[in-house]
Amino acid sequence: MKKVLAWTVLLVLVLVIVIPILVIGGFHGEPRQGGSAKMAKGDHIIIKVYFHEQQKIVEMKLEEYLKGVVAAEMPAEFELEALKAQAVAARTYAVKNMTAFGGSGLAEQPGADVSTDYKQGQAWINEEALKKRWGSNYEKFWDKISQAVEETSGEVATYNGEFIQAVYHSTSGEKTASAKEVWGFDYPYLQSVPCTWDHKSPRYYDKKEFSFAQVEQLLGPETQVVAAMQNNSSGAMAILNTTESGRVGQIRIGSKVFSGAEVREKLDLRSNNFNVELKDNKIVVNTIGYGHGVGLCQYGANGMAKEGMDYRQIITKYYTGVALKNINAY
């Protein structure tokens, strides 16, 4: 009789105390940091997206929005781990701006978190446009993009517990640039780091030739480029200094000194990692890389993935000292 009573008490304890603890722990334990984590909260996070072409704000599930960003920002032919790194960067960038997470939203469009206009943030493309772009590869590529987003579900890059400014670019060259040398703001996680994996980028090298008159027209008549070049004035065209990553800091062209960023914009160069030379009465500009050069290098990420590195290694390479966390922890 005592044995029966003891077993009865034990069964009650299991049913009333132990099992509920296990069930509660399964739903409210520590958020998973990687893999294909699927959490109810994360699956229902809503982001307010400004569709710039239609000029309207649309509410979307964050993870579905990210598929359109990754598809627009990185070639689907890239390695899966590179696409995962892009997904984490894109998610971090979006969440950093979301008012629901304390972000400031889109200043140009009150009520929106982000825009589909790449000039205001991240590019985005819908499935119909992707069907036209990818043709017969649509299903394969869309599944791959979806896999990259879903297998990093909820993951963001943080520094000291805060979402980072997860900027990225196409091709960096030998080194990425620091945020300070490009924009004047210093972030500990946006430092210049070596990049040796993007040499196969089709945008790695570019050359442009300009007549003296073209350069004067683009940079302004006050530069007096034509007169300076025709008179063979000493120092009429010279790079005065370079940044930490080897990009042009200041350059004299004609009678005026410009920043490398100014020349890049005015001459429509791929980056401000360039050199200039005179050849056959023309100014030849040789450029390395594509984009501002700060943060994640997309072709570098693909090169790292080809060498067997995963998205966590890629993220922590280009964003110095960051940690990957899940937004469900916030």
Side-chain angles (χ1 to χ4, degrees):
M1 186 67 181
K2 290 182 179 180
K3 288 184 177 180
V4 172
L5 181 60
W7 279 108
T8 301
V9 172
L10 180 61
L11 180 60
V12 170
L13 288 172
V14 169
L15 292 174
V16 175
I17 299 175
V18 177
I19 289 179
I21 289 174
L22 291 175
V23 171
I24 292 171
F27 281 99
H28 298 282
E30 289 295 317
R32 293 173 61 185
Q33 299 302 307
S36 56
K38 285 298 192 72
M39 299 194 177
K41 181 180 175 184
D43 285 346
H44 292 88
I45 292 175
I46 300 299
I47 186 169
K48 298 174 182 178
V49 184
Y50 177 67
F51 282 69
H52 69 288
E53 293 181 345
Q54 293 89 354
Q55 297 185 341
K56 65 179 182 180
I57 298 174
V58 177
E59 292 189 352
M60 302 177 66
K61 289 183 178 181
L62 174 62
E63 299 299 307
E64 291 303 311
Y65 159 74
L66 289 170
K67 293 176 184 179
V69 174
V70 175
E73 292 283 6
M74 181 174 274
E77 294 88 348
F78 273 22
E79 297 291 315
L80 179 61
E81 293 301 312
L83 291 166
K84 287 182 182 181
Q86 179 66 64
V88 172
R91 184 181 294 107
T92 307
Y93 188 97
V95 170
K96 177 78 172 176
N97 286 279
M98 290 175 64
T99 56
F101 288 93
S104 59
L106 189 64
E108 298 84 351
Q109 295 295 330
D113 294 314
V114 294
S115 171
T116 56
D117 184 357
Y118 73 92
K119 296 177 182 178
Q120 294 179 316
Q122 301 185 117
W124 185 88
I125 189 169
N126 62 37
E127 291 185 56
E128 290 304 313
L130 287 172
K131 288 176 181 178
K132 294 179 181 178
R133 175 186 293 183
W134 291 337
S136 61
N137 288 318
Y138 171 76
E139 293 292 341
K140 178 180 70 174
F141 286 164
W142 182 250
D143 287 347
K144 189 177 179 183
I145 296 292
S146 297
Q147 182 181 356
V149 173
E150 291 167 6
E151 290 189 359
T152 62
S153 179
E155 285 189 272
V156 290
T158 65
Y159 188 88
N160 286 343
E162 301 290 333
F163 305 126
I164 70 167
Q165 297 282 359
V167 293
Y168 47 87
H169 60 283
S170 168
T171 307
S172 69
E174 293 296 325
K175 289 183 177 181
T176 65
S178 69
K180 185 175 182 179
E181 66 184 86
V182 176
W183 298 306
F185 302 106
D186 190 19
Y187 294 95
Y189 52 82
L190 292 177
Q191 302 299 312
S192 175
V193 297
C195 180
T196 58
W197 299 277
D198 63 348
H199 291 173
K200 293 184 178 180
S201 168
R203 297 172 171 177
Y204 191 83
Y205 175 78
D206 189 43
K207 180 171 75 172
K208 279 190 171 185
E209 295 184 353
F210 302 90
S211 68
F212 300 154
Q214 285 176 314
V215 172
E216 184 170 298
Q217 181 181 13
L218 292 169
L219 297 183
E222 67 276 10
T223 58
Q224 299 179 328
V225 173
V226 174
M229 296 304 177
Q230 288 177 343
N231 294 332
N232 293 318
S233 300
S234 177
M237 186 178 67
I239 293 174
L240 303 180
N241 57 61
T242 57
T243 66
E244 175 191 357
S245 65
R247 290 163 170 79
V248 174
Q250 289 184 308
I251 180 173
R252 178 185 293 110
I253 299 180
S255 60
K256 191 173 179 181
V257 174
F258 297 90
S259 70
E262 286 179 299
V263 173
R264 178 198 172 193
E265 179 183 356
K266 292 178 181 294
L267 298 188
D268 193 25
L269 305 177
R270 289 185 174 180
S271 81
N272 62 336
N273 186 358
F274 62 86
N275 61 60
V276 292
E277 58 181 331
L278 293 177
K279 187 176 181 180
D280 299 328
N281 290 322
K282 290 184 178 181
I283 295 176
V284 180
V285 185
N286 302 295
T287 307
I288 293 176
Y290 187 58
H292 50 63
V294 184
L296 175 73
C297 170
Q298 293 170 318
Y299 275 90
N302 197 47
M304 290 180 71
K306 284 181 179 292
E307 292 187 8
M309 286 171 266
D310 67 22
Y311 72 97
R312 297 177 184 86
Q313 291 171 297
I314 295 169
I315 289 292
T316 54
K317 167 65 180 178
Y318 289 109
Y319 302 116
T320 307
V322 303
L324 291 180
K325 295 187 180 297
N326 198 290
I327 51 177
N328 297 294
Y330 289 83

